[in-house]
Amino acid sequence: MRLACKGEPITERAEGKRYCVLHYPSKEKAVEFKSALRRKLEAKDFDFRGVWFPEAVSFSNLNSARLRLR
């Protein structure tokens, strides 16, 4: 388990490896990924080592009430 996904369940498997939603390399995880990303940001957890982003994300407005997820 990686430190960046602390608290996330390991739910996906690919090529014999187990992944949490943050590290699973798939664009189909977008909805679940957004929820996990919001949980991390609300917890002020900015460790994104090894995270596989399914779409572009802007962190430019982290002080705003909402994170723009394109």
Side-chain angles (χ1 to χ4, degrees), residues 1-17:
M1 180 189 251
R2 296 178 182 180
L3 293 177
C5 60
K6 181 180 176 185
E8 291 295 324
I10 305 301
T11 59
E12 304 293 339
R13 292 183 183 266
E15 298 179 13
K17 296 179 183 177

Side-chain angles (χ1 to χ4, degrees), residues 8-14 17-24 29 32:
E8 291 295 324
I10 305 301
T11 59
E12 304 293 339
R13 292 183 183 266
K17 296 179 183 177
R18 297 173 41 183
Y19 295 93
C20 74
V21 70
L22 295 170
H23 292 98
Y24 184 56
K29 69 176 188 175
E32 296 87 0

Side-chain angles (χ1 to χ4, degrees), residues 5 8-10 12 15 17 20 25-27 29-30 32 37 42 47-48 53-58 61 68-69:
C5 60
E8 291 295 324
I10 305 301
E12 304 293 339
E15 298 179 13
K17 296 179 183 177
C20 74
S26 171
K27 290 186 180 255
K29 69 176 188 175
E32 296 87 0
L37 179 58
E42 288 170 0
D47 183 352
F48 294 102
F53 290 83
E55 53 190 38
V57 174
S58 173
N61 63 342
R68 278 192 337 229
L69 299 173

Side-chain angles (χ1 to χ4, degrees), residues 26-43:
S26 171
K27 290 186 180 255
E28 286 78 38
K29 69 176 188 175
V31 173
E32 296 87 0
F33 180 85
K34 286 179 185 179
S35 294
L37 179 58
R38 280 193 178 91
R39 284 192 297 275
K40 281 182 73 66
L41 294 175
E42 288 170 0

